[in-house]
Structure formats: structure tokens, C-alpha cells
Amino acid sequence: AGLSVNPKGAHLQGNLFLGGQFSKGGAIAAYALSVGTLPAGKYVSFTQPVPLINGQRPWSTVQPASNNFANLSAVTWTTDGKIEGRVYNNSDFAATYVWIDILTFAIER
């Protein structure tokens, strides 16, 4: 077990322990939401339930994408037990087959 570094990158063999103010807790979870078609200049709201880890909200990252490479952006907030947000279509054309990838990270303080 240990950390090895070579020209291709760093490789961790074994468990990861973080010291200091934060430590990893729980698991990383992934969610995928289908939104369908999003007209130009419009937005759609979404909600994804997530479990609390030791009573704390998980940290999240959100990435929207579309089949036709529309210019999409997202804003999110985490409330007790769910991630809520909006995906905006900043393009001059409709975004087709829009989906949202959500990753949540459980961090204990």
C-alpha cells in the first residue's frame, strides 16, 4: 500500500486518509437526470433526493449536457435531503436530449 508517482500520474494503493479540518465520510454517489428538450433562452428546474451523511448535507457538483452541444449552465443549492437547481439554455437554438449528471461527496467536518 502507498502512493506512487510516475510520468503517467499518481497512483494510490490502499485507503485514503485525510487529516486536518475535513475527512472523507460515506460514499460518493452519482445520479443522472433526463430533462428532454429545452427551448432556447429557457430554463428547467430539477430536484434530486440525496441522503444526509451523519446529519450533514453532501457537497455536490452538477454538469448539464445535451445531444446537440447546446450552451448550458446550471445553478444548484442543497437543502435538507435534496439537491435543487435549474439548467439554463444559453443558446439561440433548442437543446435536445438534455441530461444532468450529479455527483455528491460526503464530507465530515
Side-chain angles (χ1 to χ4, degrees), residues 42-55:
K42 301 293 184 182
Y43 71 86
V44 63
S45 298
F46 66 90
T47 300
Q48 174 62 50
V50 293
L52 299 179
I53 306 298
N54 295 329

Side-chain angles (χ1 to χ4, degrees), residues 2 4 6 8 10 22 43 53 60 75-76 83 85-86 103 106:
S4 61
N6 62 41
K8 293 183 180 180
F22 295 96
Y43 71 86
I53 306 298
S60 64
V75 60
T76 61
I83 295 171
R86 291 180 178 165
L103 292 176

